[in-house]
Amino acid sequence: MHEIIRSNDVVLLSFAESLMRDAGIASMIADQSMSILEGSLGMLQRRLLVDSDCVDQARRILTDAGLGAELRDREM
């Protein structure tokens, strides 16, 4: 899995996750449990992870949906 978005915005993450689901790209929101444990203060960010084989496709979909500014830099 590859991290593609990191955010405290649950609406943004839910939207991005639904875009991945609609495209048939395996994804998951990581660190949800940790965010709940910290009391929902918004200090711990959640991460959208996608299947490593679909990173380019996922980035295109999210950019086309207007979420390009939310994308994490590619790891080398």
Side-chain angles (χ1 to χ4, degrees):
M1 298 295 271
H2 181 86
E3 180 183 342
I4 196 161
I5 293 178
R6 185 181 293 187
S7 177
N8 291 332
D9 187 339
V10 294
V11 175
L12 167 86
L13 290 167
S14 177
F15 177 54
E17 186 177 35
S18 72
L19 290 170
M20 297 301 99
R21 186 173 39 253
D22 290 347
I25 297 173
S27 67
M28 68 173 279
I29 303 292
D31 304 323
Q32 260 179 258
S33 297
M34 292 304 295
S35 294
I36 292 169
L37 288 175
E38 59 96 9
S40 299
L41 297 174
M43 295 182 328
L44 297 176
Q45 294 183 321
R46 295 168 181 94
R47 298 174 294 140
L48 175 66
L49 306 176
V50 299
D51 184 24
S52 296
D53 296 335
C54 300
V55 172
D56 292 333
Q57 180 185 6
R59 291 178 69 85
R60 275 192 306 275
I61 290 167
L62 293 168
T63 299
D64 290 347
L67 301 179
E70 303 296 333
L71 296 173
R72 300 285 291 175
D73 291 335
R74 289 179 174 267
E75 295 178 5
M76 297 295 164

